[in-house]
Structure formats: structure tokens, C-alpha cells
Amino acid sequence: MSNSPLLRRVERALDAIRALCMLVAGLALAVLIVSFGWLVFGRDVLNATPTWVEQLALLLICYIAFLGAAAGVREDSHIGVTLFRDMLPPQGRKIAMILVDVGLAIFGAVMLVAGITLMRFGWDTKLPMLNIPETFRTLAITSCGALVMLFAGLRGLQRCLSFASWAPDTEIEGV
């Protein structure tokens, strides 16, 4: 695709956001592992099970899953059935790939809007044992929606703008 300076800066920024998503998800996974270690130690050694670990685990899993999914959309490694797309001629493949990007961007926008609604609704409800607003759990959904909309939307726009010169065969692995 195009190698304009603006496009290179946008790509670097999106890659930095993806790396940040993976860093946060990785840190959340490390905290999850440590907290379960504390759970086992507290239960088996201290004979006092820390009850907050389960709620923290549920919260962390949300961030790990949703940030990881958003990073997967950026890397274009999300789950997809490509059998029929790969059977199309190059022009049809281009259109199919753009339609997938548009569909993902719309899905991300719906997640963003629904996530904002859930965040508003959950602000007064506290997560049990953690005593923080439910909004912190739904922030993962909202963030993922915004990132999926950004990553897929910009990739779809980039593919549309470079439609004539873009070769989809360079993006399909295993073909």
C-alpha cells in the first residue's frame, strides 16, 4: 500500500497502541497469576481464603480478552473463515477484505456505544469484594469497541484509498 509519511506515522501510532494493549493484557495476566498464587497460599497455608481474588480475576479476564481481541484485529489475526474469499478473483478478494474491515468497524462502533451505556448504568453499582464501580469491568468492552473501530476502520479506509495498486495476495497467508 502507499508509503506516504502521514501513513507511516499513522501505522506507527496504531502499532504503538497495539503494543500498549498487549502490555496491559500481559500485566493483567501477571497480576492474575500472582493473585491466584495468593489465593492458594491464603487458603492452604494461612487457612484464610482471600475472597476478593475471584472478583479481581473476573475483572482482569475482561481486560485480557478484550485488549487481546483488539490487538488481534490490528494484526489482522482475528478468527475468520477465508475459504470463500480466497476462491474469489483478486478484485473480489479486495472487495471482500474491505467489507470485512467495514463490518468489524461497525461491530466495534456498536460495542463502543453499548459499552458507554453499560458504563453509565454501572457507575452506581459496586463490584463485590473489590468495592469499585461496575464501570471498570465494562470499560474493557468500551475500550475494545473503540480500538476495533479504529483499527479495522482505518485499515478498510487504507485499502479503499489504495484499491487500484493494492495486491490482496500479499496479505493472505498460506496462499
Side-chain angles (χ1 to χ4, degrees):
M1 295 190 199
S2 174
N3 285 328
S4 73
L6 174 63
L7 183 58
R8 282 193 302 270
R9 283 195 299 270
V10 168
E11 289 290 324
R12 278 196 304 270
L14 294 177
D15 286 340
I17 293 169
R18 183 209 54 83
L20 181 62
C21 288
M22 293 306 295
L23 176 67
V24 171
L27 290 173
L29 184 59
V31 170
L32 181 69
I33 292 167
V34 169
S35 67
F36 271 102
W38 179 251
L39 173 76
V40 170
F41 180 78
R43 182 186 65 219
D44 295 342
V45 176
L46 302 177
N47 201 25
T49 303
T51 56
W52 52 268
V53 172
E54 181 183 350
Q55 287 300 318
L56 179 63
L58 291 172
L59 179 65
L60 292 173
I61 290 293
C62 288
Y63 283 93
I64 294 166
F66 284 114
L67 292 176
V73 169
R74 169 66 188 144
E75 295 169 349
D76 208 7
S77 62
H78 53 85
I79 295 175
V81 179
T82 62
L83 173 69
F84 298 113
R85 181 193 74 193
D86 293 347
M87 291 172 33
L88 295 172
Q91 294 296 87
R93 246 180 283 155
K94 289 180 182 183
I95 292 168
M97 291 170 83
I98 290 169
L99 289 175
V100 166
D101 288 334
V102 169
L104 279 170
I106 290 169
F107 180 74
V110 170
M111 282 180 67
L112 174 62
V113 171
I116 290 170
T117 303
L118 287 171
M119 286 177 70
R120 285 186 188 150
F121 180 73
W123 189 253
D124 294 327
T125 306
K126 302 288 184 189
L127 288 173
M129 306 297 171
L130 298 179
N131 203 30
I132 60 174
E134 174 73 30
T135 295
F136 284 99
R137 187 174 296 159
T138 54
L139 176 62
I141 297 166
T142 309
S143 302
C144 179
L147 291 168
V148 166
M149 183 177 70
L150 175 72
F151 292 154
L154 287 177
R155 184 175 52 232
L157 178 64
Q158 184 180 11
R159 285 176 173 168
C160 284
L161 294 175
S162 63
F163 190 82
S165 62
W166 163 47
D169 293 336
T170 60
E171 294 186 29
I172 299 172
E173 295 179 24
V175 175

